[in-house]
Amino acid sequence: MTTIETPAAFQKPIIEARKVNKHFGAFHALKDVSATFHEGQVTAIVGPSGSGKSTFLRTLNRLEAHDSGEIVVDGIELNSDLKNLDAIRREVGMVFQSFNLFSHLTILRNVTLAPMRVRKMGRADAESKALNLLERVGLRNQADKYPVQLSGGQQQRVAIARALAMDPKVLLFDEPTSALDPEMVNEVLSVMRELAYSGITMLVVTHEMGFAREVADRIIFFDEGIMLEDATPEAFFSNPDHDRAKAFLSQVRHGY
Amino acid sequence: MNWTKQNPGLAMFAAMIGLLVFLWGLAVPLSAAPAPIGPAAGQFVEGTRVTVWLTLIAGSAGVMIGIVAGLGKLSRFWPLRWVCDTYVWLMRGTPLLLQILFVWLVAPTIMPEGIDLSDFACAAIALSLNVGAYNTECVRAGIMAVPNGQIEAAHALGLTSMQTFLDVILPQSMRVALPALANNLASLVKDSSLAYAISVVELTMVGYRVQSESYQPVPVFITIAAIYLILTTAFTTLTAALEARLNVGQKR
């Protein structure tokens, strides 16, 4: 496995996974996955469907509980202790493939809900913060609409604003553009690009190889539940170590 | 009904005011009616009030019971699930009349000394338990209809299980459950008539009394049917407006 040099800016580890395993019944979804993610780092996680990349991401905020191994987020161990879990979920934001905006709430209420409930922020403060974030993703004028009235790309940008409203230390993206019509992919990617350059720690499960190559500091390649490659974009895209990665790249090469 | 959907707030207000005005002003047209209705107007009004109270009390308690038992049926804790399953099985599997009689006969023997349950209270308890069982299934269906992604999103944002339930699951499940709950409420208005069996003087009981005194059943029962119809119309307008209000952000 190619180890990447950690630039000085990325010294502080924010997520540490050690020998993480996960089974779904007889299916071994994650096999001894170990990785350390540093503050400010943008990591793209790629691989074929069913390779465990989304499962790995979802274990990091315990939407899937891992069977064995150890996950430490911001110094707190992720286990069945609800106190730890609540503390970690406050610091880790997530953006889903299918957006998952709260369908019964307006766009504004979608963004203010968690800061008001979890951070106990006042309504006025939460709303002004939410409007600023909606401005940042270019949707301030949609604040009073309901999710169903927005396009997929707009909904995903709201979902990003909603995650940012909690001031997370890490943002997890689970195939954020896979459910979008092609013409809406770019509006979401450009918001993510802007975020990446702003210095927030990001883990992005994606099939957008062009985006991964351009924006990520690090590429992780999953195959059959194993973390097969962990490399810089240059190394991964020009000369991957494993044949599986070479085959995968030749399959998706038209994408970048 | 279209007007109700476009102005839910106004419709709810109108239905509530309408119900109050109806209860308060019912005596006026009734006392102007010819015998056998006119002379018994006071009894009809009193009976209508009892029916409305029974419906409101059992209806509200039934929704609470439905939410609690509906959640219980979805619990991971099997004894709780078993208790809720048994409750629904018993209440749906036996006649309401029997349940009302049962509460009336058994409640006084198990109540602590000094607490005297009125006939009205017994009827209200039996009706609440009965409609609660039917509501349980509606609430359960509503909760199961909430997409898992909504719950995952709430958890990922750091909301506790309680916050997730109150802010996301409950409002979304009510959108699905409300039409069925409204159905149960409309049934309840009429089912409350079975309270006559334990001598609660509600609308149907009044009808029996007046017709047996006057030997003119047809006009008496037509009057009663009209009052029930007006009551169910007010209640269904109320629930239809509530439905329209909760129905925001839905695909059509």
Side-chain angles (χ1 to χ4, degrees):
Chain A
M1 192 178 287
T2 323
T3 49
I4 61 164
E5 285 172 46
T6 310
F10 298 152
Q11 287 304 346
K12 194 178 166 212
I14 186 92
I15 296 179
E16 292 170 271
R18 278 187 283 275
K19 292 196 171 281
V20 171
N21 280 278
K22 170 75 187 171
H23 296 79
F24 292 108
F27 180 64
H28 198 169
L30 293 176
K31 299 169 185 161
D32 278 339
V33 176
S34 299
T36 302
F37 301 94
H38 297 269
E39 243 172 28
Q41 201 174 38
V42 177
T43 307
I45 303 174
V46 302
S49 301
S51 59
K53 55 193 191 306
S54 281
T55 305
F56 176 61
L57 198 73
R58 289 163 57 84
T59 58
L60 298 180
N61 64 350
R62 213 175 171 82
L63 288 182
E64 305 287 358
H66 53 287
D67 301 333
S68 68
E70 199 183 7
I71 297 173
V72 178
V73 180
D74 199 23
I76 306 167
E77 186 173 356
L78 190 57
N79 49 29
S80 53
D81 186 334
L82 281 179
K83 261 214 180 79
N84 287 3
L85 183 59
D86 286 342
I88 287 171
R89 282 177 171 167
R90 278 198 288 274
E91 308 307 332
V92 178
M94 190 165 202
V95 174
F96 298 87
Q97 180 175 356
S98 48
F99 332 132
N100 297 349
L101 293 182
F102 302 126
S103 58
H104 64 300
L105 299 178
T106 62
I107 298 308
L108 185 65
R109 290 281 294 139
N110 261 280
V111 183
T112 57
L113 179 67
M116 287 174 66
R117 291 290 185 271
V118 181
R119 298 255 191 249
K120 310 291 175 205
M121 202 184 263
R123 178 179 286 269
D125 289 345
E127 284 185 355
S128 81
K129 181 174 193 183
L131 288 171
N132 282 335
L133 286 166
L134 288 172
E135 176 90 65
R136 190 167 166 191
V137 299
L139 292 170
R140 191 188 171 113
N141 55 349
Q142 311 285 333
D144 295 325
K145 291 194 176 166
Y146 285 91
V148 71
Q149 295 169 284
L150 268 53
S151 73
Q154 290 174 322
Q155 289 192 48
Q156 195 60 298
R157 280 144 65 197
V158 173
I160 294 172
R162 178 176 71 173
L164 287 174
M166 287 293 287
D167 294 320
K169 293 187 171 145
V170 185
L171 261 183
L172 309 176
F173 291 83
D174 188 5
E175 302 200 27
T177 58
S178 297
L180 295 175
D181 291 338
E183 73 267 30
M184 292 168 185
V185 169
N186 278 331
E187 65 184 65
V188 172
L189 289 183
S190 73
V191 168
M192 290 171 62
R193 192 175 291 123
E194 189 250 319
L195 280 180
Y197 294 142
S198 77
I200 190 164
T201 313
M202 290 166 60
L203 274 69
V204 186
V205 170
T206 186
H207 293 294
E208 296 290 334
M209 294 301 147
F211 175 81
R213 182 172 210 170
E214 177 203 335
V215 176
D217 305 305
R218 174 183 182 186
I219 309 278
I220 286 176
F221 175 77
F222 267 86
D223 188 53
E224 293 179 347
I226 298 169
M227 208 172 100
L228 217 50
E229 306 248 354
D230 182 356
T232 61
E234 296 76 32
F236 178 77
F237 285 104
S238 57
N239 191 21
D241 288 348
H242 296 81
D243 288 343
R244 280 293 302 151
K246 285 187 183 124
F248 173 76
L249 280 175
S250 70
Q251 294 280 321
V252 298
R253 195 159 295 273
H254 63 88
Y256 65 98
Chain B
M1 275 306 165
N2 256 337
W3 184 84
T4 307
K5 289 212 170 91
Q6 277 150 20
N7 310 283
L10 217 56
M12 275 162 84
F13 186 70
M16 274 190 268
I17 295 296
L19 195 59
L20 284 178
V21 168
F22 178 69
L23 286 180
W24 189 65
L26 183 61
V28 179
L30 282 183
S31 51
I37 311 300
Q43 289 185 61
F44 281 108
V45 171
E46 199 41 49
T48 307
R49 279 189 192 147
V50 171
T51 292
V52 168
W53 271 119
L54 262 184
T55 306
L56 285 178
I57 291 171
S60 322
V63 169
M64 302 292 173
I65 294 173
I67 291 174
V68 171
L71 268 179
K73 278 195 83 155
L74 294 170
S75 166
R76 259 171 295 183
F77 183 59
W78 74 262
L80 186 60
R81 234 172 28 234
W82 183 85
V83 167
C84 295
D85 279 340
T86 310
Y87 158 66
V88 172
W89 173 69
L90 271 178
M91 302 312 282
R92 286 203 307 194
T94 55
L96 174 56
L97 183 57
L98 225 64
Q99 293 164 10
I100 292 173
L101 288 170
F102 189 80
V103 171
W104 186 61
L105 292 168
V106 171
T109 65
I110 58 169
M111 271 292 153
E113 202 71 31
I115 296 180
D116 209 11
L117 276 185
S118 65
D119 298 342
F120 178 87
C122 290
I125 290 171
L127 285 167
S128 305
L129 288 172
N130 182 270
V131 74
Y134 287 92
N135 288 350
T136 298
E137 292 299 299
C138 307
V139 171
R140 188 172 70 95
I143 290 175
M144 289 196 309
V146 177
N148 199 36
Q150 299 279 313
I151 297 161
E152 283 191 345
H155 284 158
L157 282 165
L159 269 68
T160 62
S161 293
M162 194 48 144
Q163 289 168 334
T164 301
F165 177 70
L166 291 177
D167 284 314
V168 178
I169 300 175
L170 191 62
Q172 293 199 15
S173 63
M174 279 302 133
R175 285 200 303 215
V176 176
L178 203 66
L181 292 175
N183 215 7
N184 292 348
L185 184 69
S187 300
L188 180 64
V189 177
K190 295 160 292 158
D191 286 348
S192 68
S193 65
L194 286 174
Y196 88 95
I198 55 172
S199 62
V200 174
V201 188
E202 45 67 65
L203 193 51
T204 305
M205 178 67 136
V206 169
Y208 268 116
R209 283 187 179 173
V210 175
Q211 66 94 24
S212 65
E213 284 159 16
S214 65
Y215 300 107
Q216 283 182 281
V218 175
V220 171
F221 286 133
I222 287 177
T223 308
I224 285 179
I227 296 176
Y228 273 118
L229 209 51
I230 292 169
L231 289 182
T232 49
T233 306
F235 279 120
T236 45
T237 306
L238 208 63
T239 48
L242 194 61
E243 206 181 302
R245 177 144 268 197
L246 283 176
N247 219 357
V248 291
Q250 289 279 73
K251 269 201 180 109
R252 277 280 138 238

